[in-house]
Amino acid sequence: MAVDYAVIVLYLAGMLAMGWWGMRRATSKSDFLVAGRRLGPAMYSGTMAAIVLGGASTIGGVGLGYQYGLSGAWMVFTIGLGLLALSIFFSARIARLKVFTVSEMLDLRYGGSAGLISGVVMWAYTLMLAVTSTIAYATIFDVLFGLDRTLSIILGGAIVVAYSTLGGMWSITLTDMVQFVVKTIGVLLLLLPIAVIKAGGFAEMKAQLPHDYFAPLGIGGQTVFTYVLIYSFGMLIGQDIWQRVFTARTDKVARLGGTAAGTYCLVYALAGAVIGTAAKVLYPHLGSPDDAFATIVKDALPMGVRGLVLAAALSAVMSTSSGALIACATVANNDIWARWRPSDRRTGHDEVAGNRAFILLMGVVVIAIAISLNDVVAALTVAYNLLVGGLLVPILGGLLWKRGTAAGALASVAVGGVTVVGLMAWFGVLANEPISYGLIASLLVYVAVSLATRPTDAALLAAWRARLAGRPAAPSAPSGV
């Protein structure tokens, strides 16, 4: 595997080099956190597709295909549907806000009273997302080099922390573009056709596998519904996703580029399921479905190609990990820590240094938690349940319903979050009920409290609508006039 090792080492060295190059461009807070809001359609589409298609979408998507057949595509498919909905219906307005975090949007809409609690929830979500992505390095580096779990996590995590800390969003954007290309070549253009050919083609796959493997809802209708609630809605409100929307040069780029990325996700979802189905034909008795990806890569691919496809898996993990890391650090610094130091008037250079320090700090925390945590699926489920159950209603309500109030938003976050946590404790972390009932409770409380309290100040709403439209807000009338 010397050639495969060389491919991987060159790839990792390239990631660090791009981090160093990106550092030269990150000269302001806007450059560091949102790439100067200057990305065009091609770079925006590539980086958006890279952030949403991580290790769970690649290794996990193939594993679901191994276990359920073509219907295993639904998890990644719902991610693509969520990204399409975000891009078509909301991304233009989000991009025009010119903010850095989701909590800043809530502050603008509700008058500065909802940001802290939403920031804490969003920080917990992005932290767990970064942790679960970092844990995936253990699987990949074990396949590549036979390293133990802790060393694998430290090695993979340190590389991501290094290039993210150096150049912020510019470095992450550049590395994401490389990762997007590597994933496309490695998974779609190489592994997919080779796996199907090795399995004897679709006719042979149908002959050897049960009919359920080719049924659209073989994975179960309830499971698909839960995927929609968690992943499609999660795409609408996650800080890691919104921070990429903020990088778009114009609202048109955000809409069209995001639509292209969402469509790419749908193709990627089907490809992963087909690869997993082919692996089931080739290796029907694997110990775990998640072993399907590594097994078919090691056994079915020629030297050199194998290294490129493993680099594709590494790319998938790194893109999600780096995106979650910068989102976590951005929320921690700008939505939580900044509220404790309101008198801090830093210059642009200081703001870059402060955000860089938070990425390094959060990176160390993420690596430490990843080493000690074993149940990845449970951690990710908790993160998404809290995000969607607590924040979906006040965020979409703020965008779509002018009667929503700050009191309604705060009550919605609190009740939705508490309901989700309580039901996870009652039914179990992986149960379907917590997110469903949590969303219902959040919605009912948001509407009831908003209608029972005074409407949002007219001047605040006018400034909000102007911001959404990309216009400067009109000067506020003096108090009492």
Side-chain angles (χ1 to χ4, degrees), residues 88-143:
I88 294 170
F89 299 112
F90 300 108
S91 63
R93 283 181 283 181
I94 293 170
R96 288 195 291 263
L97 289 173
K98 303 297 183 185
V99 295
F100 294 100
T101 69
V102 175
S103 295
E104 285 183 59
M105 168 264 170
L106 292 172
D107 279 346
L108 287 172
R109 171 60 180 82
Y110 295 113
S113 58
L116 179 59
I117 186 172
S118 66
V120 172
V121 174
M122 190 65 75
W123 175 78
Y125 156 72
T126 53
L127 179 70
M128 282 295 98
L129 186 61
V131 166
T132 54
S133 301
T134 302
I135 290 173
Y137 296 126
T139 299
I140 297 173
F141 281 103
D142 176 57
V143 172

Side-chain angles (χ1 to χ4, degrees), residues 442-461:
S442 180
L443 177 61
L444 292 176
V445 168
Y446 179 71
V447 172
V449 175
S450 292
L451 292 176
T453 52
R454 293 182 59 185
T456 304
D457 181 73
L460 183 66
L461 277 180

Side-chain angles (χ1 to χ4, degrees), residues 153-206:
I153 290 172
I154 292 173
L155 176 60
I159 293 171
V160 169
V161 171
Y163 72 70
S164 300
T165 302
L166 286 172
M169 187 60 81
W170 269 122
S171 294
I172 292 171
T173 297
L174 293 171
T175 55
D176 277 358
M177 285 305 299
V178 174
Q179 289 159 357
F180 171 74
V181 172
V182 171
K183 278 192 287 193
T184 301
I185 295 173
V187 175
L188 298 185
L189 301 184
L190 293 176
L191 183 57
L192 174 61
I194 291 174
V196 172
I197 292 170
K198 290 280 187 181
F202 285 103
E204 182 65 19
M205 291 162 63
K206 285 187 175 181

Side-chain angles (χ1 to χ4, degrees), residues 85-95 236 242 245 396 399-400:
L86 173 70
S87 302
I88 294 170
F89 299 112
F90 300 108
S91 63
R93 283 181 283 181
I94 293 170
L236 297 180
W242 277 41
V245 176
L396 294 190
L399 290 169
L400 300 174

Side-chain angles (χ1 to χ4, degrees), residues 220-302:
Q222 181 64 42
T223 299
V224 174
F225 180 68
T226 302
Y227 284 160
V228 171
L229 290 182
I230 294 177
Y231 297 114
S232 294
F233 287 163
M235 289 297 105
L236 297 180
I237 58 174
Q239 170 67 25
D240 51 325
I241 310 302
W242 277 41
Q243 200 156 344
R244 300 310 171 99
V245 176
F246 300 150
T247 65
R249 187 167 58 214
T250 65
D251 54 6
K252 185 177 181 181
V253 168
R255 184 186 297 111
L256 297 181
T259 301
T263 304
Y264 178 90
C265 291
L266 303 183
V267 175
Y268 199 88
L270 185 58
V274 171
I275 293 167
T277 304
K280 183 66 175 180
V281 174
L282 294 170
Y283 318 102
H285 304 298
L286 292 179
S288 168
D290 286 340
D291 293 337
F293 180 87
T295 302
I296 198 169
V297 168
K298 288 176 67 176
D299 293 351
L301 300 183

